[in-house]
Amino acid sequence: MSAPVPAPAPSGRRWPGILARWGTAAVVLAGLTHVAMWEMRTSTLQARFFADWAAQLDHQVRTEPATASRYPRTGPSDIRMGYTRMPEFLDSLAGRGYVLTAQAQQSPALQDFMDRGFFPPYPERTQAGLRVLDCRGEPLFRSRFPLHTYAGEAQVPPVVARMLGFIENREVLDESEPRHNPAIEWTRLGKAVVDQVIAVADDDHAAAGGSTLATQTEKFRHSPEGRTASAHDKYLQMVSASVRAYRDGENTVAARRRILLDYLNSLPLGAQRGWGEVHGVNDGLQAWYGADVEASNRLLPQPSDQAEGLAERGLALRRMLSLLIAQRRPAHYFGPGHEQLMAMTASYLRLLAAEGIIGPGLRDAALAAPLQVQHAHAGAIPNLEFGERNASSLLRVQLSGLLNTPRLYELDRFDLSASSPLDGHLQREITERLHRLRDPAFAREAGLLGFQLLEKGDPSKLLYSFTLYERGEGANFVRVQTDNLDQPFDINGSAKLELGSTAKLRTLATYLDIIAELHREYAGMKRAQLAEVEVGAKDRLSRWAIDWLSTTDDRSLAAMLEAAMQRRYSASPGERFFTGGGAHTFSNFNAADNGRLATLHESLRDSLNLPFIRLMRDIVYHHMYHASSDASDILEGDDDNPRRQELLKLFINKEGRQFMRKFYQRHHGKTPAEVLDRLAESVNRTAPRLAVIYRSVEPEGSQADFSAYIRRHLPGAALADDYLETLYKRHAPGNYSLADRGYLARLHPLELWVASYLRQHPQAELAQVLDAGATEREQSYAWLMRSKARRGQNSRILQLLEAEAFAKIHAQWKKVGFPFDTLVPSYATSIGSSGDRPAALAELMGIIVNDGLRLPTVHIDRLHFAAGSPYEAALRRAPSAGEQVMAPEVAATLRRALGLVVSEGTARRHKGVLDVDGQAPLPIGGKTGTGDNRLNTYTRGGGLAASRVTSRTATFVFYLGPRHFGTLTAFVLGPEAGGYKFTSALPTQILKSMAPLLRPVLAGQAEASCPAAPSGTALAVRAP
């Protein structure tokens, strides 16, 4: 049975209930509206929420490495300051021997905050840049970006703050609500939302943005490309700006002032040639208007309508206002939209006057002021550097290598402080002295004019370079590296110079290293065993080592090395040496030495050339004829010796490719007619030779063109048609081999082939020509593979074996710091023909000073990134264990030999000059070198046809006491070097004149010497 359905109530009885419910909803809605309006006005609730959130987003700097640190991935400010590359930097530095000493530890809340895409709320630096300090913590270089900023709120002219608030964010300066959230201005945001909705339906509707100064600053700094590309970007900006505003608590009055200050200091204003990126209104004043920043800011706070200086104030005001407007589209407004910028500025000036922000007099003065934009800045940004220029250039280049940042423009904008062991005070003193040595009067005062010094030549054109290093804990620290070249080029570390007899030191080190190897190989054998050792016919070093070990009782390495230094070599120049592919003669610096038979001690001490030429020959022969690779087996063995055939083919390919490169350069880009004419001019012209040339290059050419070519190059010769027809047929393609055609034309056969190939393939690259000509190279050298050419084969095999020997010598040189990838395969390398670098020579001296231990050279010992940020990291150069590249006994032998150069030899003017009264004599040693470098041209008969001077150098590589070492080089480049005459006595005299500067440092006097690099403490560097 169904329940009865209640009868509906009378309609008049429903209305009170409905009205009651509606009334409750209305009350609730009114209450919510009141709360929302209250919250929009006071920001009380969000102040508590964001302040609590911000309090969790912290970081602490600790001495242990951080784990799982977060870093920004984009954002103009983060990219510019290097924050986005921090993981890369830390990995790169770890691989180069740097260890963390302190790092920011991010809280889990901050890591989560950044994972969600928000920007961390820390006190961001508006002005950053690279700072480099010397060993005492004094500045060598500082870059500031932006260059001009307001240091605090008090520096901002009030009229600038009011103008900015009026244009961009009118609530930012309203202090009536201390908890107000500066990231949101509700009226602007509401209008922006309405505009965006209308713009969906009406493309022509201008949709205004709702950004405040706080959100715009977040956008400038951290959004991709400094833009808002989506609603999500706007959300990230607003939340990040809100959290940052409440970082110090619920009261945002101070935060709003800071936001205004940060905005003025960091708003992007485009980029300009000669300046780069322009950020901040103060840099904008100088970059875009060429204004005096300090003067402009002094004018703006003055009474607005004061008659005196009104025009200047009006100009300053209009410039500043235009920058605040131009940030919306700087490339447009400072370019094609300049007239539009002027109109908008004028409109705002009227509005500002109407609002009472400026007076009518200042308005009219500003309206009358012209805005002249400059589109390129004259010269580099001033006042970037402190300290000595070439020191800062050197260290910035070192930093760019450490951080894989080749552009110094980028490096200079990183938020980074770096410390160098370089002694800034001594660097400046040495640099000043090197510059003063160009003054003839000062050069005379320093004792540089005289016999074997600067005998002739203008002192003002001489270049000098100087390096000084100090052996420290696990590293060689650069103390001075300078020159008097007024350019950023690093002479010490980048120039390739022929430094003459300093190469004798490298040669001697190689020789003693070989003796040490022979000692390891044979010293453990008994005399009977030594007698059975087979020695190559020309391996004089092995022969000497076995003979010496067979007759001595003291088989220690030190005794063997000293005995090796007592071996005598002739200084006679009366011998021709087959080396480097030809016969050469050499001479001594002093002809009086020609008859000497000198020990190696004496030869190094007096810098004799011929003993070292002969010593290098012994070294080369040792590598060629040592038992494991005896060249005699190849040179005297059967024709079918596999190694012999391999070397001949190697020679053919190597020399053939060299010739093909030469011929390619000669004929590439020429027309066939030009090539034929050039080949004709290269020979003593006869009809048969010209016939071979033409038929080789133009095998399909007609009889008529062939005859015309020969007649043009043999004008007046009786050439019958039938004779020319006979030549045309005789030299048709295929009648003669490539080698025979070269012989008949008196040209290298490969030149004929290259010319022909380029006629068929005029766009061919060199690599294509070399690949295509492999068979022709073998054909053109077919004569060399015949058994009757054995003498020619041996001479070419010897060249290759010598080159192989020099490859082994090069490996030994590289081990001790030689900076280049090849050596000249000639005995002349022992006296400097392979070149060197002053810094590389100093590295060799460091190995000798460090008992054969090769330590890294350190220019930058500490780095401090992003001080005060969640990305902060401090690193130091860890001591290195080094690499033992030379036996300690070899290093000690070399030190003694170098000491004789100073005490008795070519550097004796330096003896005792650095001794300190009351202390033991300072041990000093070194090697001098003079390079008179010329480009010589010889006749076919070997006579000297011409000689062109290319440079003159003089060097002294030295050690000064037990810890310091370095080089001093004097040189002049170019043809004008022919007007100079000086020897290595010049740099030794210069070093002697530096004694008053160096003596306190070498003596370790506290006020003069740099402190030792710290071994384990965190880098204490104040933020720039």
Side-chain angles (χ1 to χ4, degrees):
M1 187 172 181
S2 60
V5 178
S11 60
R13 299 170 66 181
R14 289 203 313 263
W15 284 108
I18 293 172
L19 292 175
R21 289 195 296 272
W22 283 3
T24 302
V27 169
V28 171
L29 180 62
L32 291 175
T33 302
H34 176 76
V35 171
M37 296 296 292
W38 168 75
E39 175 61 20
M40 290 169 65
R41 188 182 73 255
T42 66
S43 303
T44 301
L45 299 178
Q46 56 192 304
R48 182 171 301 172
F49 172 76
F50 285 121
D52 290 345
W53 195 5
Q56 304 172 52
L57 310 179
D58 64 346
H59 66 274
Q60 295 180 345
V61 178
R62 297 177 183 168
T63 55
E64 64 269 12
T67 57
S69 293
R70 302 323 195 248
Y71 298 99
R73 296 180 180 179
T74 185
S77 177
D78 298 311
I79 292 172
R80 184 174 61 251
M81 294 189 183
Y83 300 159
T84 58
R85 295 181 60 194
M86 281 298 296
E88 174 192 341
F89 292 158
L90 297 179
D91 286 346
S92 175
L93 291 166
R96 289 171 164 85
Y98 289 82
V99 294
L100 281 162
T101 56
Q103 191 174 15
Q105 309 278 336
Q106 301 167 355
S107 68
L110 178 58
Q111 292 179 348
D112 177 70
F113 186 78
M114 295 178 67
D115 286 341
R116 294 165 65 184
F118 300 123
F119 317 134
Y122 64 95
E124 293 192 50
R125 189 172 301 133
T126 56
Q127 186 183 61
L130 174 65
R131 188 170 65 152
V132 182
L133 310 176
D134 77 348
C135 63
R136 297 181 180 84
E138 298 175 357
L140 290 170
F141 173 87
R142 182 177 177 185
S143 162
R144 296 189 298 259
F145 186 83
L147 184 59
H148 305 287
T149 59
Y150 294 119
E153 295 94 335
Q155 284 191 321
V156 179
V159 68
V160 174
R162 290 196 297 271
M163 285 195 305
L164 177 59
F166 178 78
I167 296 170
E168 296 290 348
N169 189 178
R170 301 189 182 187
E171 295 178 4
V172 73
L173 297 177
D174 183 1
E175 299 183 4
S176 60
E177 295 294 344
R179 295 185 180 88
H180 171 67
N181 183 356
I184 303 174
E185 190 172 306
W186 291 104
T187 55
R188 287 169 60 90
L189 181 62
K191 184 178 184 305
V193 171
V194 172
D195 283 342
Q196 293 291 340
V197 172
I198 296 173
V200 172
D202 182 5
D203 292 339
D204 295 329
H205 182 76
S211 297
T212 61
L213 294 182
T215 57
Q216 287 190 67
T217 302
E218 297 295 324
K219 175 183 68 176
F220 294 157
R221 289 175 169 175
H222 305 299
S223 291
E225 299 182 356
R227 300 181 181 183
T228 304
S230 65
H232 182 67
D233 285 349
K234 177 62 70 177
Y235 164 70
L236 295 178
Q237 294 163 11
M238 293 178 66
V239 173
S240 299
S242 299
V243 172
R244 193 184 305 277
Y246 293 103
R247 187 187 68 221
D248 297 326
E250 297 182 18
N251 189 315
T252 62
V253 172
R256 281 178 271 163
R257 294 178 187 149
R258 186 177 64 245
I259 288 167
L260 187 143
L261 176 70
D262 288 349
Y263 182 92
L264 290 171
N265 281 336
S266 59
L267 81 163
L269 293 170
Q272 187 191 81
R273 184 161 53 88
W275 183 284
E277 293 179 280
V278 182
H279 282 255
V281 293
N282 284 317
D283 272 13
L285 285 171
Q286 183 175 346
W288 289 117
Y289 295 121
D292 184 319
V293 175
E294 292 184 4
S296 297
N297 281 288
R298 281 197 305 269
L299 287 167
L300 289 170
Q302 296 178 17
S304 62
D305 282 344
Q306 178 179 304
E308 183 180 355
L310 186 59
E312 290 80 3
R313 290 201 305 282
L315 176 61
L317 182 77
R318 186 165 191 174
R319 286 171 169 169
M320 182 66 76
L321 178 59
S322 73
L323 294 172
L324 297 177
I325 298 169
Q327 63 85 16
R328 299 167 188 174
R329 295 178 65 194
H332 173 72
Y333 288 134
F334 292 128
H338 179 58
E339 293 300 324
Q340 185 180 356
L341 176 63
M342 293 187 68
M344 292 180 67
T345 305
S347 176
Y348 269 108
L349 284 169
R350 297 186 183 96
L351 290 172
L352 290 168
E355 291 289 327
I357 295 174
I358 61 173
L362 184 57
R363 174 200 63 198
D364 294 341
L367 287 170
L371 284 183
Q372 298 295 329
V373 175
Q374 62 178 19
H375 295 287
H377 193 265
I381 301 174
N383 301 323
L384 283 181
E385 300 183 18
F386 295 85
E388 210 285 313
R389 182 171 57 186
N390 55 10
S392 64
S393 297
L394 165 71
L395 297 175
R396 287 159 68 211
V397 169
Q398 293 292 326
L399 272 172
S400 74
L402 287 174
L403 303 180
N404 298 317
T405 305
R407 294 185 63 209
L408 296 184
Y409 177 86
E410 295 177 15
L411 179 73
D412 290 347
R413 282 155 176 73
F414 288 164
D415 184 5
L416 170 63
S417 291
S419 175
S420 170
L422 190 140
D423 186 334
H425 177 68
L426 184 60
Q427 172 93 4
R428 284 187 288 271
E429 288 187 322
I430 297 293
T431 304
E432 180 186 3
R433 176 167 287 266
L434 295 182
H435 277 279
R436 291 186 67 193
L437 289 175
R438 288 180 163 183
D439 179 1
F442 187 78
R444 183 178 298 278
E445 180 184 332
L448 304 190
L449 308 184
F451 176 65
Q452 292 191 347
L453 296 165
L454 187 54
E455 296 185 42
K456 65 175 183 176
D458 182 0
S460 67
K461 303 292 180 64
L462 268 171
L463 298 176
Y464 301 103
S465 71
F466 179 78
T467 64
L468 182 68
Y469 300 89
E470 183 175 4
R471 179 182 63 180
E473 181 187 359
N476 295 326
F477 296 112
V478 59
R479 294 306 190 191
V480 178
Q481 186 163 332
T482 187
D483 54 60
N484 65 345
L485 178 66
D486 294 323
Q487 295 179 18
F489 181 72
D490 176 20
I491 293 173
N492 286 294
S494 301
K496 182 175 183 178
L497 301 172
E498 292 192 17
L499 300 177
S501 293
T502 53
K504 294 170 185 173
L505 175 57
R506 291 198 183 278
T507 303
L508 188 61
T510 302
Y511 164 70
L512 293 176
D513 189 48
I514 290 172
I515 298 300
E517 290 178 4
L518 293 171
H519 181 270
R520 286 192 293 272
E521 187 173 355
Y522 297 131
M525 294 185 180
K526 297 179 179 180
R527 287 184 172 86
Q529 292 174 305
L530 290 172
E532 295 177 358
V533 174
E534 293 186 8
V535 178
K538 295 185 178 182
D539 184 3
R540 301 187 181 97
L541 299 187
S542 294
R543 180 74 274 161
W544 176 86
I546 290 172
D547 291 346
W548 186 84
L549 289 168
S550 298
T551 58
T552 186
D553 293 328
D554 184 356
R555 287 193 171 193
S556 68
L557 176 57
M560 187 172 181
L561 292 171
E562 185 56 35
M565 289 296 294
Q566 298 302 323
R567 292 181 64 231
R568 294 182 178 272
Y569 282 91
S570 169
S572 170
E575 181 181 356
R576 292 170 68 86
F577 297 86
F578 187 85
T579 182
H584 298 271
T585 59
F586 301 95
S587 61
N588 294 305
F589 178 77
N590 189 343
D593 294 322
N594 290 351
R596 294 179 62 181
L597 188 65
T599 67
L600 288 174
H601 268 306
E602 296 166 340
S603 299
L604 185 75
R605 181 194 67 191
D606 300 333
S607 202
L608 307 180
N609 284 347
L610 268 301
F612 279 92
I613 294 292
R614 292 183 168 96
L615 177 62
M616 180 59 85
R617 180 174 61 185
D618 278 359
I619 293 170
V620 170
Y621 280 1
H622 171 75
H623 288 303
M624 289 172 59
Y625 292 94
H626 194 52
S628 60
S629 56
D630 193 346
S632 301
D633 295 339
I634 301 170
L635 296 171
E636 300 171 8
D638 296 335
D639 289 343
D640 57 357
N641 183 311
R643 178 64 171 146
R644 182 181 184 86
Q645 295 299 312
E646 176 190 340
L647 288 171
L648 287 173
K649 289 180 180 180
L650 179 63
F651 175 84
I652 289 170
N653 189 55
K654 178 181 177 182
E655 186 176 270
R657 291 170 73 91
Q658 289 174 349
F659 276 115
M660 292 177 81
R661 288 189 187 93
K662 174 183 174 182
F663 300 143
Y664 177 85
Q665 293 168 359
R666 179 180 298 173
H667 299 302
H668 182 250
K670 305 294 188 299
T671 65
E674 290 173 332
V675 171
L676 284 168
D677 289 343
R678 178 167 290 195
L679 291 173
E681 293 166 2
S682 301
V683 300
N684 185 10
R685 280 165 282 185
T686 65
R689 290 174 187 170
L690 294 173
V692 174
I693 291 172
Y694 186 89
R695 294 293 270 155
S696 296
V697 178
E698 289 282 2
E700 304 301 326
S702 67
Q703 168 78 55
D705 290 342
F706 169 81
S707 299
Y709 171 72
I710 293 180
R711 286 191 170 108
R712 187 171 72 252
H713 287 285
L714 293 175
L719 298 169
D721 290 344
D722 57 348
Y723 174 64
L724 292 176
E725 183 179 357
T726 300
L727 289 178
Y728 181 79
K729 294 178 179 178
R730 180 185 301 163
H731 297 291
N735 287 353
Y736 295 96
S737 68
L738 177 60
D740 289 341
R741 280 185 281 139
Y743 174 77
L744 292 172
R746 298 300 190 266
L747 287 170
H748 197 294
L750 289 177
E751 183 165 16
L752 292 174
W753 181 86
V754 169
S756 176
Y757 188 85
L758 289 176
R759 183 194 62 79
Q760 300 171 53
H761 308 88
Q763 304 303 320
E765 299 290 336
L766 174 60
Q768 182 181 343
V769 175
L770 294 175
D771 288 343
T775 301
E776 284 71 19
R777 285 195 293 273
E778 291 186 6
Q779 290 178 1
S780 64
Y781 283 90
W783 62 271
L784 185 60
M785 303 302 290
R786 299 176 188 139
S787 59
K788 64 180 181 180
R790 188 175 183 87
R791 182 175 178 183
Q793 291 174 356
N794 282 354
S795 67
R796 287 157 176 82
I797 289 172
L798 277 171
Q799 290 182 46
L800 292 177
L801 292 175
E802 182 180 53
E804 289 182 352
F806 270 99
K808 296 176 181 177
I809 295 168
H810 177 256
Q812 291 176 289
W813 284 32
K814 286 285 284 186
K815 189 173 63 172
V816 292
F818 185 70
F820 306 119
D821 292 333
T822 59
L823 289 178
V824 177
S826 166
Y827 303 158
T829 284
S830 67
I831 55 175
S833 66
S834 287
D836 218 321
R837 284 181 178 147
L841 267 177
E843 184 175 12
L844 171 59
M845 187 60 75
I847 292 169
I848 295 169
V849 168
N850 290 327
D851 288 327
L853 189 66
R854 185 178 183 181
L855 295 173
T857 298
V858 174
H859 292 80
I860 301 292
D861 55 4
R862 289 172 290 168
L863 300 101
H864 193 169
F865 292 94
S869 79
Y871 323 121
E872 182 170 358
L875 304 95
R876 65 173 176 83
R877 186 67 162 78
S880 169
E883 179 186 5
Q884 195 73 43
V885 296
M886 179 185 292
E889 294 88 347
V890 171
T893 301
L894 288 170
R895 281 199 305 273
R896 288 193 298 274
L898 294 169
L900 290 176
V901 175
V902 171
S903 63
E904 304 174 12
T906 55
R908 55 186 172 274
R909 67 178 64 240
H910 207 64
K911 181 179 180 179
V913 298
L914 290 171
D915 291 347
V916 178
D917 292 341
Q919 296 186 14
L922 191 71
I924 298 175
K927 182 69 191 81
T928 58
T930 303
D932 181 14
N933 307 306
R934 300 168 180 269
L935 183 61
N936 294 331
T937 304
Y938 295 91
T939 65
R940 286 181 178 273
L944 183 63
S947 179
R948 179 167 60 86
V949 176
T950 58
S951 66
R952 188 172 184 87
T953 62
T955 303
F956 183 41
V957 54
F958 53 79
Y959 65 83
L960 307 175
R963 298 191 323 276
H964 292 85
F965 55 93
T967 57
L968 199 156
T969 302
F971 63 102
V972 59
L973 301 176
E976 62 186 7
Y980 286 79
K981 187 177 181 181
F982 56 82
T983 70
S984 54
L986 181 62
T988 58
Q989 178 60 30
I990 294 172
L991 190 62
K992 179 180 179 180
S993 74
M994 292 178 178
L997 305 179
L998 297 173
R999 193 179 292 116
V1001 174
L1002 300 177
Q1005 296 176 3
E1007 66 277 9
S1009 58
C1010 282
S1015 59
T1017 57
L1019 177 62
V1021 178
R1022 292 173 299 183

